[in-house]
Amino acid sequence: MAGTNSERQLLAEGPAIILVEPQMGENIGMVARAMANFGLAELRLVNPRDGWPNEKALATASKADHVIEATKVYDTLEQAVADLNFVYATTARERDGYKPVRSPVIAAETLRARFRAGEGTGILFGRERWGLTNEEVALADEIVTFPVNPAFASLNIAQAVLLMSYEWMKSGMEDLGAVPFQAMGQTPSTKDQLFGLFDQLEEALDARGYFHPAGKKPKMVDNLRAVLSRRAFTEQEISVLRGVISSLDRFSRKSPRGGRFPTATKETPPDDSADA
């Protein structure tokens, strides 16, 4: 699968993801995939509707097998959180009560700090159709809610897990602007290479009557050079452009590279022995 690499370190840490009475195996599988994407590995299920293990969950986990295989199942939510020190409950609805409500960023930072301190932590996610009950939210220490469209606040359970998993990953990054790979390094072109591109292109266009009428040629050349010199080309980019021009100069639409010439017209093929 694109993006997976068995030779690199597999992150598997952080808070437990606890799904309360999940209904569809496919959703559980997509949750496992989201967790694996961002280094989470502990999945707990409370009374899954279709039982466990679930073939549909495994199929949609997209090779997040380490999450699926380690999944634990509990009869009640109390059992699922019994060994944890600190738990967040996710909800999109305002709840009665006095529990602090946090943003995903603050929640992830709190979870990261408690994880580093050796505490057991978890995040509760409710049913696909109607989330968590007030009694279930009451078992958590704090609430986390997402900044979503107030008129359309419903999130798919896998989407909600993905958002929290992403914030978890970010909370452990020293530099939020860091990326896992960079563009290939290229050497800036010299002015001489750019002038060579100008000369080649202008000669090819001149041979085809592009600069018409002749009196406007100097201005047209200036405009063309202004476009091509607008940014600093690299050596590789200059090479690509000159290769394009050479191909256009040597082959026509009627006589493309690799094409056969019509025998009926006895047309003589162009001389390809020299570049323009």
Side-chain angles (χ1 to χ4, degrees), residues 146-157:
F146 303 101
V148 294
N149 184 346
F152 197 79
S154 177
L155 287 175
N156 175 277
I157 189 171

Side-chain angles (χ1 to χ4, degrees), residues 94-156:
E94 186 175 349
R95 305 278 183 156
D96 294 332
Y98 302 95
K99 293 187 183 296
V101 181
R102 309 297 187 191
S103 71
V105 173
I106 298 302
E109 291 175 350
T110 300
L111 290 168
R112 178 71 64 173
R114 290 180 175 274
F115 171 77
R116 287 172 174 166
E119 295 185 21
T121 59
I123 312 173
L124 306 182
F125 295 86
R127 302 153 188 83
E128 290 94 329
R129 295 185 62 186
W130 45 278
L132 297 166
T133 66
N134 289 335
E135 291 76 15
E136 289 162 348
V137 172
L139 296 178
D141 297 277
E142 296 183 357
I143 290 172
V144 58
T145 191
F146 303 101
V148 294
N149 184 346
F152 197 79
S154 177
L155 287 175
N156 175 277

Side-chain angles (χ1 to χ4, degrees), residues 16-259:
I17 298 298
I18 306 164
L19 307 185
V20 179
E21 296 186 353
Q23 298 173 3
M24 299 179 63
E26 293 89 340
N27 286 341
I28 299 173
M30 288 188 286
V31 164
R33 179 179 183 178
M35 293 170 60
N37 284 152
F38 297 104
L40 297 176
E42 186 176 356
L43 177 60
R44 302 184 181 189
L45 307 179
V46 178
N47 191 27
R49 184 190 67 182
D50 296 335
W52 194 261
N54 187 297
E55 292 184 1
K56 292 180 179 179
L58 183 61
T60 55
S62 296
K63 298 187 178 180
D65 296 347
H66 63 290
V67 178
I68 293 293
E69 291 169 1
T71 297
K72 298 177 181 179
V73 180
Y74 300 85
D75 293 328
T76 67
L77 179 55
E78 287 84 354
Q79 293 173 351
V81 301
D83 63 327
L84 302 180
N85 303 105
F86 187 88
V87 175
Y88 272 108
T90 60
T91 180
R93 304 193 311 273
E94 186 175 349
R95 305 278 183 156
D96 294 332
Y98 302 95
K99 293 187 183 296
V101 181
R102 309 297 187 191
S103 71
V105 173
I106 298 302
E109 291 175 350
T110 300
L111 290 168
R112 178 71 64 173
R114 290 180 175 274
F115 171 77
R116 287 172 174 166
E119 295 185 21
T121 59
I123 312 173
L124 306 182
F125 295 86
R127 302 153 188 83
E128 290 94 329
R129 295 185 62 186
W130 45 278
L132 297 166
T133 66
N134 289 335
E135 291 76 15
E136 289 162 348
V137 172
L139 296 178
D141 297 277
E142 296 183 357
I143 290 172
V144 58
T145 191
F146 303 101
V148 294
N149 184 346
F152 197 79
S154 177
L155 287 175
N156 175 277
I157 189 171
Q159 293 174 327
V161 171
L162 181 72
L163 289 174
M164 280 306 303
S165 301
Y166 173 62
E167 293 299 339
W168 164 259
M169 175 67 83
K170 283 171 54 182
S171 71
M173 296 173 60
E174 294 182 2
D175 179 7
L176 292 181
V179 291
F181 58 87
Q182 295 286 346
M184 183 183 299
Q186 297 188 6
T187 305
S189 66
T190 64
K191 293 302 180 185
D192 186 60
Q193 290 170 327
L194 185 60
F195 297 156
L197 173 64
F198 290 163
D199 292 341
Q200 182 185 8
L201 181 57
E202 289 162 17
E203 191 281 330
L205 292 173
D206 202 17
R208 291 161 176 78
Y210 175 80
F211 300 112
H212 181 80
K216 291 187 176 181
K217 178 178 178 178
K219 181 60 176 176
M220 295 174 74
V221 168
D222 287 344
N223 291 340
L224 183 62
R225 292 193 174 198
V227 170
L228 294 176
S229 61
R230 199 169 222 175
R231 61 176 297 273
F233 284 103
T234 64
E235 289 183 354
Q236 293 87 342
E237 290 168 336
I238 291 287
S239 178
V240 168
L241 289 173
R242 297 198 65 170
V244 170
I245 297 167
S246 293
S247 181
L248 293 175
D249 209 26
R250 296 178 64 186
F251 303 98
S252 69
R253 291 187 179 184
K254 292 183 178 180
S255 303
R257 182 195 294 267

